[in-house]
Amino acid sequence: MKNKSRRTNRLNVSLTKKVIELQEMGYDCDFLLLANGNLLCMQTNFNYPLNAVTIKRLENGYDFLSHSYKNVHTIETGNGEKGVLLSEVALS
């Protein structure tokens, strides 16, 4: 049991490290996937259709807060905003 706990914990740490790494690279906005399929930038409150942004899926890991697997995506908009999206859905 102890070994399983360590393996799961490493997945969580790897997600956290990836998000911090991306923030250090300038991906400083947080995006939210809305029910209508658009993306919302939490810092600017701008709403973007999925086809208007560049999305790259980077990593997948277990999120202990929501008890689900999350995908880490980078988002780049046409007006220069760069950010991170954590989502249960894999986008690309």
Side-chain angles (χ1 to χ4, degrees):
M1 184 72 172
K2 188 174 180 180
N3 193 19
K4 182 179 178 182
S5 170
R6 279 188 187 173
R7 190 178 77 231
T8 308
N9 195 17
R10 283 191 194 124
L11 281 175
N12 192 30
V13 168
S14 106
L15 280 179
T16 303
K17 283 183 179 180
K18 179 54 80 177
V19 170
I20 291 169
E21 177 184 306
L22 290 168
Q23 289 172 336
E24 290 173 348
M25 293 170 54
Y27 290 89
D28 53 0
C29 292
D30 301 305
F31 285 88
L32 177 65
L33 182 60
L34 301 174
N36 67 3
N38 288 351
L39 292 171
L40 175 68
C41 177
M42 303 293 281
Q43 283 71 23
T44 63
N45 207 31
F46 286 144
N47 199 331
Y48 298 95
L50 288 178
N51 63 358
V53 300
T54 302
I55 302 171
K56 292 183 184 169
R57 183 177 168 272
L58 301 178
E59 195 163 321
N60 175 287
Y62 191 75
D63 176 14
F64 288 101
L65 296 175
S66 66
H67 302 288
S68 63
Y69 283 90
K70 297 285 181 165
N71 295 282
V72 178
H73 303 82
T74 57
I75 307 293
E76 295 187 25
T77 70
N79 64 354
E81 290 178 338
K82 292 173 32 174
V84 177
L85 167 68
L86 293 176
S87 171
E88 292 179 14
V89 177
L91 302 172
S92 54

